Each structure stands twice: as structure tokens, then as C-alpha cells.
Amino acid sequence: GNWGTTDKFGVDRILRIKIQMRATQRLVDHRMNFSVRVAFDSGKCTGPHCHFGWDTYGYSVGCNNFEDKYPYPDIDTQYPDGIWYSLP
């Protein structure tokens, strides 16, 4: 559905895709499978931490779960078990 009066990018449906991914060696060395999720708009990273994660761990899939409330959403939601991913 719409958020506010219009969708930001005219999105009228959501596609679900199944992917396989492998963590970069730098993530594995830190015992991690994912880096921090970053925001993308129009195919570009627009979040404040884009290059930190990529420079530190290489180009990797980022994620955050709603339960941790970091980095966003920082409030309770209707989907407490939700997870967002970012694909570079």
C-alpha cells in the first residue's frame, strides 16, 4: 500500500526473490555472516555508513532485525520479527 499520499518511487508491488550468498573473508574472520544494512535510493547507497562497511568488510549483504531496533526502526513495529536486508 501507499505510505503517505504517494509511494516514493511509484512502487505498486513487491517481488520476493531467493538468493544464495557467501560472506566475504573479512566478515568470516570476524565471525560474521552479514554487515550492517545500509539504505539505497535509486541504486545508490544513501546511508551514513556506506563506505565504512564496504571498506572494512568488502561488498557484502547487510541486515538488521527489527527486534534489535538498530539502526532502524528504533521503535516497536507491527512486525517485531521483521528483518531488512541490503544488497550492494
Side-chain angles (χ1 to χ4, degrees):
N2 288 344
W3 179 268
T5 57
T6 63
D7 287 327
K8 186 173 182 179
F9 295 106
V11 174
D12 59 4
R13 66 185 181 142
I14 297 174
L15 298 176
R16 293 178 185 243
I17 60 173
K18 184 175 182 177
I19 67 162
Q20 289 183 323
M21 52 77 65
R22 181 177 293 163
T24 62
Q25 188 59 51
R26 287 182 271 176
L27 277 173
V28 171
D29 291 345
H30 285 89
R31 298 179 184 220
M32 297 166 48
N33 291 312
F34 298 96
S35 60
V36 175
R37 181 198 59 83
V38 294
F40 280 89
D41 289 304
S42 299
K44 292 185 177 184
C45 182
T46 57
H49 306 292
C50 297
H51 293 287
F52 167 77
W54 296 338
D55 292 345
T56 305
Y57 302 114
Y59 292 105
S60 53
V61 175
C63 79
N64 75 281
N65 63 55
F66 290 12
E67 184 177 31
D68 291 344
K69 296 185 176 78
Y70 178 83
Y72 186 83
D74 55 3
I75 59 172
D76 289 331
T77 70
Q78 293 178 337
Y79 306 99
D81 296 328
I83 299 174
W84 278 343
Y85 296 94
S86 58
L87 306 172

